[in-house]
């Protein structure tokens, strides 16, 4: 038997109702903040992720699904392509490519779709997973650097989680500084690491030289006591980053969104500047981050675009659904009516009637004339239909159908024109 590939999974009904619920709520809540949907391709040039997410990150160095695409004709050149491991890089690429900066306005964009990372699969961690991603990006003159954008985005997340009924989350907040203060911090990190580096893992030893901030992201248990004692970015922020972070916090307090400062929070991607955050949830076990995000004020420029600071987040939809306490069964809606054709030639009449009823908004499942009445009624009960409509030869002739309430067993004759009304009542 051929099975789904390790780390991928099928989402089956009734669970898909939960996925639709969280996606629908995202469309509705994000709309209240004037976000609009964007859809970018599932694969991009490998370069895009290497340059944005960063060569030294786990995502780029170990987890990407990358292949050499040969090109089909001599005129097409071979290129390295990658299944997107995240959404931000593609959205910023599209922002630059379509010159969205030109409007001079903030772009509030969101996207829902699958991402791909070759991680070790476990509960809440998959190789194909879904993100609900949102970004606010624009020229500085549009206010893209304002701390109020950060706070509004975080408030929108709190609103969204409340709307879908997720409680018990923690917003962990940090500032990872900017191009101005990062070199000083990197220096401090290298100095602090110098004496312990030989005790650390190979990745840390390499990263201490190439990109010391990544050392803070190391998951090797033996390295943690050393990492715990390293200097904190928050103590190295320059005056403007410090004030920015302060303003974000004041706004969050003003709108009543609770948060905790986590000075050790570094995200697994290199493009972040200033505000970085995660929402964690106790019900999720080891993979407890429901979502993460932050500012990326230099990303557009590093990809050859205009100065277009931005901030965004991605919700791990798989984890969000795991954290929902609602059960899929409670959401699944059975059909209103099961149409039971009875006798040779009645399939045609039943199909016509089903078409009429559906146009009046009735949810109909259509049976088959080869079924005996008993089997039709059993099927109607099994699928949870409220009514069975019997479409036999006599009914067709009289244009009046037997409508059976499956809960009470009561059966009445209803003229065709009143059937939809009778069912919906
Ligand atoms: P990220 O932290 O890498 O950030 O991913 C965001 C969320 O995606 C995580 O918090 C988690 O819920 C979910 N996630 C990540 N990997 C997996 C996996 N293997 N299986 C299931 N869920 C997973 C980003 O991707 C950034 N692009 C977020 C962002 C947008 N920053 C700015 N704008």
């Amino acid at each position: 038997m051929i099975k789904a590939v390790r780390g991928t999974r099928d989402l089956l009904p009734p669970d898909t109702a939960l996925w639709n619920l969280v996606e629908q709520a995202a469309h509705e809540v994000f709309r209240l903040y004037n976000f609009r949907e964007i859809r970018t391709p599932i694969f991009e040039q490998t370069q895009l992720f290497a340059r944005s997410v960063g060569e030294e990150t786990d995502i780029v160095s170990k987890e990407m699904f990358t292949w050499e695409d040969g090109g089909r004709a001599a005129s097409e050149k071979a290129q390295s392509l990658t299944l997107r491991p995240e959404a931000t890089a593609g959205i910023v690429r599209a922002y630059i490519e379509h010159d969205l900066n030109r409007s001079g306005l903030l772009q509030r964009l969101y996207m829902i779709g699958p991402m791909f990372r070759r991680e070790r699969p476990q509960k809440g961690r998959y190789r194909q997973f879904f993100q609900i991603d949102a970004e606010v990006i624009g020229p500085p003159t549009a206010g893209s650097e304002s701390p109020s954008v950060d706070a509004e985005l975080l408030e929108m997340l709190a609103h969204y989680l409340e709307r879908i009924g997720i409680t018990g989350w923690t917003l962990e907040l940090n500032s990872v500084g900017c191009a101005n203060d990062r070199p000083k911090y990197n220096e401090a990190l290298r100095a602090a690491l110098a004496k312990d580096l030989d005790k650390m893992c190979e990745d840390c030893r390499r990263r201490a030289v190439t990109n010391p901030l990544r050392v803070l992201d190391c998951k090797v248990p033996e390295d943690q006591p050393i990492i715990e004692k390293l200097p904190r970015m928050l103590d190295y922020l320059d005056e403007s980053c410090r004030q920015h972070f302060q303003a974000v916090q004041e706004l969050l307090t003003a709108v009543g969104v609770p948060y905790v400062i986590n000075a050790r929070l570094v995200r697994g991607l290199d493009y972040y500047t200033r505000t970085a955050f995660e929402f964690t949830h106790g019900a999720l076990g080891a993979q407890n981050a429901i979502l993460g995000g932050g500012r990326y004020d230099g990303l557009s420029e590093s990809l050859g675009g205009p100065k277009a600071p931005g901030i965004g987040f991605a919700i791990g939809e798989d984890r969000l659904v795991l954290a929902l306490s609602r059960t899929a069964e409670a959401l699944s809606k059975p059909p209103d009516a099961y149409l039971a054709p009875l006798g040779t030639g009645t399939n045609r009449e039943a199909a016509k009637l089903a078409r009429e009823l559906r146009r009046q908004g009735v949810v109909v499942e259509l049976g088959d004339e080869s079924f005996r009445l008993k089997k039709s009624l059993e099927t109607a009960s099994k699928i949870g239909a409220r009514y069975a409509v019997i479409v036999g030869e006599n009914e067709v002739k009289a244009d009046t159908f037997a409508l059976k309430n499956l809960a009470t067993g009561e059966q009445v004759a209803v003229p065709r024109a009143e059937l939809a009304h009778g069912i919906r009542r």
Side-chain angles (χ1 to χ4, degrees):
M1 192 182 45
I2 299 176
K3 292 191 172 171
V5 174
R6 182 170 145 81
T8 71
R9 51 196 195 129
D10 303 305
L11 306 172
L12 305 175
D15 289 348
T16 39
L18 288 174
W19 289 73
N20 281 326
L21 174 110
V22 300
E23 289 177 11
Q24 191 53 39
H27 291 298
E28 288 169 18
V29 172
F30 296 179
R31 171 76 201 113
L32 297 173
Y33 296 75
N34 200 27
F35 276 75
R36 295 179 299 166
E37 189 175 0
I38 181 173
R39 299 187 188 196
T40 67
I42 276 178
F43 55 88
E44 300 267 4
Q45 291 186 37
T46 305
Q47 274 258 324
L48 174 67
F49 303 113
R51 279 171 55 188
S52 55
V53 174
E55 302 269 12
E56 273 298 332
T57 59
D58 283 351
I59 297 177
V60 171
S61 66
K62 306 178 184 159
E63 296 169 356
M64 296 207 301
F65 288 96
T66 295
W67 70 101
E68 277 307 310
D69 195 75
R72 291 185 48 172
S75 57
E76 270 184 89
K77 60 178 192 321
Q79 54 186 341
S80 175
L81 300 178
T82 292
L83 291 181
R84 63 183 185 198
E86 59 105 52
T88 313
I91 294 175
V92 174
R93 191 231 359 101
Y95 179 92
I96 298 168
E97 189 168 335
H98 303 286
D99 198 12
L100 300 186
N101 215 44
R102 202 183 34 205
S103 71
L105 301 170
L106 284 185
Q107 300 290 326
R108 300 174 196 274
L109 303 168
Y110 74 99
M111 181 157 88
I112 302 176
M115 309 294 153
F116 306 85
R117 296 181 193 176
R118 196 187 278 106
E119 296 198 75
R120 198 169 48 74
Q122 64 180 84
K123 186 182 167 212
R125 189 161 73 191
Y126 310 100
R127 290 180 170 181
Q128 173 175 333
F129 59 98
F130 287 76
Q131 284 188 343
I132 302 174
D133 182 285
E135 314 289 347
V136 184
I137 174 169
T141 49
S144 56
E145 285 175 296
S146 168
S148 69
V149 176
D150 308 38
E152 188 189 23
L153 201 75
L154 292 164
E155 190 276 329
M156 179 170 91
L157 280 164
H159 181 159
Y160 174 68
L161 293 175
E162 182 186 352
R163 163 74 183 274
I164 60 172
I166 291 198
T167 52
W169 48 262
T170 305
L171 162 55
E172 301 188 16
L173 200 59
N174 194 16
S175 175
V176 293
C178 65
N180 214 6
D181 42 33
R182 191 71 64 75
K184 260 180 276 159
Y185 180 56
N186 279 344
E187 224 172 88
L189 274 181
R190 283 198 189 98
L193 282 166
K195 62 178 183 341
D196 290 322
L197 210 54
D198 52 341
K199 301 188 205 94
M200 300 187 84
C201 74
E202 203 187 307
D203 280 347
C204 282
R205 288 206 295 269
R206 194 185 62 249
R207 288 169 175 171
V209 182
T210 56
N211 186 356
L213 201 66
R214 288 259 69 81
V215 171
L216 300 178
D217 201 30
C218 168
K219 306 284 181 320
V220 175
E222 295 76 32
D223 289 358
Q224 298 312 308
I226 301 169
I227 293 171
E228 274 301 306
K229 294 200 200 80
L230 291 174
R232 304 168 353 138
M233 182 71 222
L234 284 182
D235 299 324
Y236 288 79
L237 296 182
D238 70 8
E239 191 48 24
S240 96
C241 287
R242 205 190 54 72
Q243 279 179 15
H244 191 275
F245 193 44
Q246 187 63 31
V248 173
Q249 293 174 62
E250 282 164 11
L251 283 158
L252 287 177
T253 306
V255 294
V257 173
Y259 62 89
V260 296
I261 302 290
N262 176 357
R264 299 275 158 210
L265 180 79
V266 271
R267 311 259 307 114
L269 308 93
D270 275 350
Y271 48 62
Y272 291 112
T273 52
R274 302 200 194 184
T275 312
F277 57 86
E278 283 179 0
F279 280 62
T280 54
H281 196 279
L284 289 176
Q287 304 304 319
N288 68 351
I290 298 187
L291 68 93
R295 235 178 210 289
Y296 44 84
D297 291 342
L299 178 55
S300 168
E301 286 158 294
S302 75
L303 293 173
K307 186 167 169 59
I311 179 165
F313 63 78
I315 303 172
E317 201 178 347
D318 304 71
R319 296 186 193 171
L320 192 68
V321 168
L322 276 174
L324 279 184
S325 50
R326 304 173 74 151
T327 57
E329 278 77 12
L331 285 174
S332 59
K333 294 193 198 83
D336 299 316
Y338 182 85
L339 256 56
L342 194 63
T344 315
T346 54
N347 266 353
R348 269 198 308 272
E349 292 300 331
K352 267 165 63 185
L353 185 59
R355 183 167 157 87
E356 286 167 28
L357 291 173
R358 287 170 180 148
R359 289 183 164 195
Q360 296 174 79
V362 179
V363 182
V364 171
E365 181 159 328
L366 194 52
D368 190 271
E369 64 184 31
S370 69
F371 296 173
R372 287 171 186 281
L373 184 59
K374 184 163 176 279
K375 174 165 173 180
S376 286
L377 293 178
E378 277 170 9
T379 308
S381 294
K382 271 190 204 152
I383 65 172
R386 281 189 302 128
Y387 290 99
V389 181
I390 298 160
V391 187
E393 277 161 35
N394 293 340
E395 280 83 359
V396 171
K397 255 186 232 139
D399 216 21
T400 292
F401 299 87
L403 181 65
K404 188 180 180 66
N405 181 320
L406 291 162
T408 63
E410 187 195 0
Q411 184 170 320
V412 287
V414 182
R416 182 179 212 114
E418 289 163 31
L419 207 49
H421 179 68
I423 291 169
R424 278 206 304 263
R425 210 174 22 180

